[in-house]
Amino acid sequence: MTERILVTGGAGYIGAHACKALARAGYEPVTFDNLSTGWADAVRFGPFERGDLLDPERLAEVMARHRPAAVLHFAALSQVGEAARIPGRYWRNNVTGTLNLVEAALAAGCDRIVFSSTCATYGDHDGILLDESTPQRPTNAYGASKRAIEDMLGNFAEAGLLRHVTFRYFNVVGADPEGDLGEQHDPETHLVPLMFDAALGRRAALTIFGTDYPTPDGTCIRDYVHVCDLVGAHLLGLERLLSGGESRVYNLGTGRGFSVREMIGAAERVTGKTVPVIEGPRRPGDCACLVSGGRRAEAELGWVPGRALETIMADAWQWHQGPGYAG
Ligand code: UFG
């Protein structure tokens, strides 16, 4: 029998890529999404249940109807800048929403969850590579809300109520190479689509958020991982849980960092155009440097993020110019 997987946030950028990969691997992905940031037309690989994590009755109804074998939990508010301005929204949506989800899943007999956490839970560590045992000191409410969820899942796991695989994402970029799906947000706040829009003249310029960071060129360094590589790790994490594996936390990054200026160079190479820039102040909540040093996902799950920055940018650019991108 085809195993059903409940995918919260399945209409969003990463969740939709996960649904495609799940369907291709023989699972039935059931999307649960409130469409606050997702796109209904990205839900193409299984049933769609519109609903909100802050609505426990709706969650209970969906869980009872679909009886999923596991949950992949992508749904969250995830903008660092917004979190610094409106922390309460982040605590309510992310933490309370996840508690509702966990309780609804357990009530329906589903005790396996793959959770999307973030490198933003680490905070600033003077440029050292971050591995899974690096202390978590988030610098914004987004990272703090995700760390709180990690604690919550840890407590449920210690109580023997569920097993989880928690992935700490670094910066997820790129797009489905077949052109079906890609990154778009409304309003857009993420670096790669903003650089492309600036190159295309759809916006006047890209503002670089801070040029006085303690990094070689003064701009923030991030570890950019292709969305398809990242989603591949979710299938491996899911298999770990379905085959009885214990709860575990993994970093999902490549181990290579690129500054904002280096990313602008990569965008100019792939587009063949100039990205006009304005040098602006730092964005509240941003860390200078977030790069993964953890090899645990490779050692234990056999996960290798094989797509290099050139491939990431080529796939993202193809999507950005294609018919699916709303612009
Ligand atoms: N940046 C700019 N100008 C912009 C937008 C971004 O200079 O207009 C810079 C940011 O300061 C940062 C880098 O580009 O240094 C990447 O910024 P994004 O907004 O694309 O991504 P974030 O790093 O802020 O956040 C993303 C996800 C989070 C995740 C985080 C981990 O949205 O969910 O990566 O770093 F936690």
Side-chain angles (χ1 to χ4, degrees), residues 254-270:
T254 68
R256 272 221 58 192
F258 294 94
S259 72
V260 175
R261 288 198 206 278
E262 287 174 321
M263 291 300 285
I264 292 167
E268 291 186 333
R269 285 195 297 281
V270 75

Side-chain angles (χ1 to χ4, degrees), residues 164-239:
H164 67 90
V165 164
T166 291
F167 288 124
R168 294 184 187 144
Y169 299 177
F170 286 69
N171 281 59
V172 188
V173 286
D176 173 38
E178 290 163 8
D180 282 343
L181 301 163
E183 181 173 16
Q184 61 186 321
H185 306 92
D186 185 16
E188 190 53 77
T189 63
H190 288 81
L191 179 65
V192 171
L194 288 175
M195 291 190 304
F196 289 157
D197 276 349
L200 288 168
R202 288 185 189 155
R203 9 185 118 232
L206 173 85
T207 301
I208 300 179
F209 293 146
T211 54
D212 61 347
Y213 281 98
T215 60
D217 68 18
T219 65
C220 291
I221 294 175
R222 295 286 182 272
D223 180 339
Y224 293 90
V225 56
H226 196 296
V227 63
C228 293
D229 282 339
L230 180 107
V231 155
H234 287 67
L235 291 185
L236 297 169
L238 176 62
E239 283 161 22

Side-chain angles (χ1 to χ4, degrees), residues 107-149:
C110 173
D111 60 0
R112 302 156 178 147
I113 180 163
V114 178
F115 170 57
S116 306
S117 188
T118 168
C119 64
T121 60
Y122 291 119
D124 255 324
H125 288 272
D126 294 330
I128 62 160
L129 295 182
L130 306 165
D131 69 31
E132 290 85 354
S133 59
T134 303
Q136 291 173 288
R137 299 193 297 255
T139 57
N140 56 63
Y142 167 63
S145 73
K146 290 283 185 170
R147 187 186 60 178
I149 297 166

